[in-house]
Amino acid sequence: MQHLYLLLAVFLLLNLGAGMWRVLRGPTAADRMLAAQLFGTTAVAVLLLLAELENSVALRDVALVFALLAAVTAIAFVRRAWAGTEDSNDTR
Amino acid sequence: MEGMTWLGWSFDAFVGAGLLWLAWRALASPDLFKAVVLFVAFGLLLALAWVRLEAPDVALAEAAIGAGLTGALLIAALTRLGISMASGRHRNNNKEEL
Amino acid sequence: MAGYAWLLRLLLLLLAVGLGYAVLSLPDQAQGLQPDVLGKMDQSGVTHPVTAVLLNFRGYDTLLEMAVLLLALLGIWSLGGLPEARPESEPGPVLGTLTQVLVPVLIVVAGYLLWTGAHAPGGAFQAGAVLGAAGVLLQLTGWRLPRRAAGHPLRITLVAGVAVFLIVAALPLPGGRQLLEYDPNYAGVLILVVEAFATVSIGVTLAALFFGADPTDKAPK
Amino acid sequence: MSVPFLYALVGIGLFCLGFHGLIVYDHLLRKILAINIMGSGVFLVLVALAKRGGEAAPDPVPHAMVITGIVVAVSATALALGLMLKVQAATGHAVLPGKSRD
């Protein structure tokens, strides 16, 4: 079981590479931002796997804080950067 | 436990390589918005490094500040600079090739 | 500059190699200060080593660190306001509901982190950061500090953390003991009081840093 | 070579990468990112070296220092961003005076 958890954590970490590709390619800022959000979600999953692995309550707290606060950057982006730009309806 | 240590090592190696690569791309990419997003992702990966180093206190602080505050601060500053999100270039007439 | 790029890279490579050599030549096994900290844990008033170091054994660091936070805020306020990005629209229904749900949850989580810091990872800085994020979220949805709260109430909240810490630090002085030398019998309660005020002050300071100007200022240009 | 030393070396790498970026790039936002990356490298070295006790719990003193360091870093970043915006408002460019505008 322990092997499986760590294997899954490594697999999720590799998934981040796929997200990276979106951050680098874009093409719009929203694509990059969503990819960064995907990073956050994957990190929560990795943290929960590590919490099971080490049987640690503290790591679940870290995952909780992560999940709660990942939204703040996205909202900052939507409110400050994206709303009102001339190309926010852009479908490129 | 042979496979366990091997998996642990590969996990650490991925995290370390990812950190260095994200830092390099964040500094070198010509688009400032991309740099900020890469820096936010760098903070997320750093929190995983703290967890692997048995520092959950530091991971909590990094999760709260790296995921929430730094990203919001940088994005707010970027908009106040007048950088258009679509191209990463300045919107006002003093065109700068970034 | 371009001609010296290779020289710069060479020097930095030398620096990296030197630092790497220094780190690798350190002993493979080292306990550091961990035995000292664990040996004194029963006098600290808490059971989590990191909290004991932060608020008892190395209390000076934490006290001055909170003063640094205030200094950063004073620095931003003395810039006289930052250019406003653009007039903000009303938050949509999704964002409004999300904020209504998320902000109370963030406050509860901050309280939990503060409380759990005595015996497990957590504490004033983490709780303060979560609280600060709640403040940032409120500002992003268009909420602004009410006019009457922006003057003295805000300032008192900002300095409360440092002020309470200083008072608690000075309490042992009349008894002939040193600054920050808590009585082990009351250390747990004192640390919780200091942490509670520090959490609120850190949270409000971080939110004010995001706002970027003294809210009592006349509207910046 | 063990796991803590791997992370310590990554920390050194981050420090030098950030140092390089701080010198080479002219845009102030990039310089701020570079300083943050340098700081993260230092934190990584500190926390990694705290974990050299093998199976024993890591040294809590560097952890406490890094936690305060993270909070100070974010407040310094906020101040630096404010100064950058003022430089831009005064000169029209977010670069240091006397620097080329690239």
Side-chain angles (χ1 to χ4, degrees):
Chain A
M1 210 55 196
Q2 303 251 305
H3 276 76
L4 182 64
Y5 287 146
L6 201 53
L7 191 68
L8 281 174
V10 173
F11 174 69
L12 285 174
L13 212 53
L14 286 176
N15 267 336
L16 288 183
M20 268 327 297
W21 185 76
R22 251 307 137 203
V23 176
L24 286 181
R25 286 270 156 251
T28 64
D31 293 319
R32 303 188 208 283
M33 198 67 230
L34 276 176
Q37 290 295 301
L38 176 75
F39 258 69
T41 314
T42 313
V44 170
V46 174
L47 281 171
L48 287 174
L49 283 170
L50 290 177
E52 283 302 314
L53 194 68
E54 294 172 24
N55 205 10
S56 146
V57 183
L59 292 191
R60 289 193 196 114
D61 290 351
V62 179
L64 171 71
V65 171
F66 237 109
L68 281 174
L69 293 193
V72 174
T73 305
I75 293 173
F77 169 74
V78 171
R79 296 289 291 167
R80 287 290 162 86
W82 196 243
T85 46
E86 54 276 22
D87 45 9
S88 45
N89 299 326
D90 196 335
T91 50
R92 272 188 293 176
Chain B
M1 292 311 275
E2 191 59 33
M4 205 60 185
T5 43
W6 188 83
L7 274 174
W9 266 98
S10 53
F11 188 89
D12 293 325
F14 281 135
V15 170
L19 280 173
L20 286 170
W21 192 70
L22 281 172
W24 171 56
R25 291 308 309 167
L27 288 173
S29 80
D31 180 341
L32 274 180
F33 179 76
K34 195 153 99 180
V36 167
V37 172
L38 287 168
F39 184 72
V40 171
F42 173 82
L44 298 179
L45 209 56
L46 198 56
L48 289 182
W50 301 139
V51 168
R52 289 296 291 176
L53 288 167
E54 282 184 62
D57 300 82
V58 185
L60 265 176
E62 183 74 46
I65 285 175
L69 286 163
T70 314
L73 270 172
L74 287 171
I75 288 174
L78 211 53
T79 11
R80 281 167 170 165
L81 275 180
I83 291 176
S84 160
M85 288 305 126
S87 62
R89 301 239 161 90
H90 279 228
R91 232 184 305 125
N92 28 14
N93 37 18
N94 48 19
K95 275 270 188 280
E96 280 182 40
E97 291 298 315
L98 288 166
Chain C
M1 188 69 202
Y4 292 105
W6 64 271
L7 184 63
L8 176 69
R9 294 217 176 109
L10 186 70
L11 285 175
L12 280 171
L13 201 64
L14 280 178
L15 177 69
V17 170
L19 286 173
Y21 176 74
V23 162
L24 287 180
S25 62
L26 287 171
D28 218 14
Q29 296 277 320
Q31 295 285 307
L33 293 167
Q34 195 233 1
D36 298 305
V37 172
L38 291 190
K40 293 242 187 324
M41 278 308 291
D42 52 336
Q43 297 172 30
S44 67
V46 290
T47 53
H48 184 54
V50 176
T51 307
V53 171
L54 266 178
L55 284 140
N56 201 333
F57 304 148
R58 298 290 301 164
Y60 277 112
D61 289 359
T62 311
L63 179 59
L64 293 175
E65 190 266 347
M66 286 167 60
V68 168
L69 266 182
L70 278 184
L71 269 179
L73 184 62
L74 279 181
I76 287 207
W77 281 9
S78 62
L79 292 178
L82 303 173
E84 196 57 50
R86 66 167 64 87
E88 285 199 336
S89 52
E90 282 291 305
V94 175
L95 185 56
T97 313
L98 178 71
T99 314
Q100 278 172 17
V101 174
L102 207 50
V103 168
V105 171
L106 284 174
I107 292 171
V108 170
V109 169
Y112 164 72
L113 286 178
L114 172 65
W115 177 252
T116 196
H119 55 85
F125 289 108
Q126 292 87 343
V130 171
L131 216 52
V136 169
L137 195 58
L138 280 173
Q139 290 174 43
L140 285 172
T141 48
W143 181 84
R144 291 290 177 272
L145 200 63
R147 204 75 197 153
R148 63 196 150 73
H152 289 298
L154 175 66
R155 274 143 233 264
I156 290 169
T157 320
L158 286 173
V159 297
V162 177
V164 169
F165 205 155
L166 269 178
I167 292 168
V168 170
L171 277 182
L173 285 181
R177 282 181 295 172
Q178 285 183 337
L179 200 66
L180 283 164
E181 188 186 344
Y182 308 140
D183 184 339
N185 295 323
Y186 303 109
V189 181
L190 290 178
I191 285 178
L192 191 62
V193 170
V194 168
E195 279 204 295
F197 280 96
T199 299
V200 176
S201 283
I202 291 170
V204 175
T205 311
L206 289 174
L209 282 172
F210 180 77
F211 185 66
D214 186 348
T216 54
D217 274 356
K218 297 285 168 287
K221 64 171 167 68
Chain D
M1 186 74 179
S2 55
V3 170
F5 283 96
L6 172 72
Y7 280 108
L9 291 181
V10 170
I12 291 171
L14 288 177
F15 181 85
C16 292
L17 256 176
F19 205 178
H20 181 257
L22 179 65
I23 298 170
V24 166
Y25 298 108
D26 284 336
H27 198 282
L28 286 171
L29 188 79
R30 227 178 274 277
K31 282 188 193 286
I32 294 170
L33 289 184
I35 291 175
N36 270 300
I37 286 172
M38 282 172 79
S40 301
V42 174
F43 296 155
L44 206 52
V45 172
L46 278 175
V47 175
L49 292 183
K51 197 186 145 25
R52 280 179 297 151
E55 292 300 305
D59 184 358
V61 179
H63 288 190
M65 282 160 64
V66 169
I67 290 171
T68 51
I70 288 175
V71 180
V72 167
V74 77
S75 59
T77 304
L79 178 58
L81 289 171
L83 287 170
M84 174 188 78
L85 292 171
K86 279 292 163 185
V87 168
Q88 156 124 352
T91 66
H93 299 280
V95 295
L96 288 177
K99 286 283 181 180
S100 63
R101 288 164 184 169
D102 56 356

